[in-house]
Amino acid sequence: MKYKRLRAQKHRQIIRCFCEDITATACTEIVGVNRNTVNSWYNEFRHKILLAAIAETRAEGGEFEVDESYFGARRVRGKRGRGAAGKTPVFGLLKRGGKVVVRIVSDCSRESLMPIIQGLVLEGSTIYSDGWAAYDGLIVNGYDHYRVFHSHNEFARGKRHVNGIENAQTSGLSGALPSAGLRNSTVAHPTDSWYT
């Protein structure tokens, strides 16, 4: 970054804090630099990670689980469910026995989700999802598609479940969005590509 004139020792400390998943606020106390400086370094690291991850991203075949989720305040008065204000919509795709991709999306409509699925999953692959209407048409697009209907109190039927991606989203992302200076509108996040 053009305006960074930190001593090498402080630079290494910021990198160490980022790698140990220490928040930007805690990092400022450890290193002894301004919060804005730490935020700009953290965002630079995220951007570099994103670029490297995008370079490695390619479509794969196999069995996948897909699910959408919303992250944000626990409850917003007067608004619930998909229309809740202030929540960040996130789409997740898990390759069974493999990697996960998570993307922050503008909404969870078919128009937003299908291009992501088509860009990451090869035709002929098997996709497991919940009953959300945005997944209608996966069969027409060349995928084997199986659903579980949470609204009917169905969560698993043999190999038909989305427990893997739901677990990945809740355990991996619940703390990732608000930590270390990341805003909901930020798309340069290390979870924006395949990871194990």
Side-chain angles (χ1 to χ4, degrees), residues 23-26 28 33-41 178-182:
T23 65
T25 303
T28 60
V33 296
N34 186 295
R35 168 71 186 262
N36 292 336
T37 302
V38 174
N39 281 345
S40 60
W41 277 103
S179 70
L182 180 67

Side-chain angles (χ1 to χ4, degrees), residues 21 23 71 169-180 182 189:
D21 204 22
T23 65
F71 291 87
Q169 285 177 325
T170 55
S171 63
L173 280 181
S174 58
L177 288 175
S179 70
L182 180 67
H189 192 270

Side-chain angles (χ1 to χ4, degrees), residues 70-126:
Y70 292 82
F71 291 87
R74 290 188 185 268
R75 182 164 181 220
V76 178
R77 284 197 168 272
K79 296 194 176 187
R80 294 177 169 227
R82 296 190 186 279
K87 301 249 183 187
T88 303
V90 176
F91 173 70
L93 187 142
L94 165 79
K95 181 173 184 184
R96 287 193 175 171
K99 301 176 180 181
V100 176
V101 66
V102 179
R103 298 260 172 99
I104 297 173
V105 292
S106 59
D107 58 37
C108 291
S109 66
R110 180 180 307 144
E111 291 76 25
S112 295
L113 302 184
M114 274 307 176
I116 298 171
I117 294 170
Q118 290 173 329
L120 296 172
V121 181
L122 294 174
E123 286 185 18
S125 297
T126 303

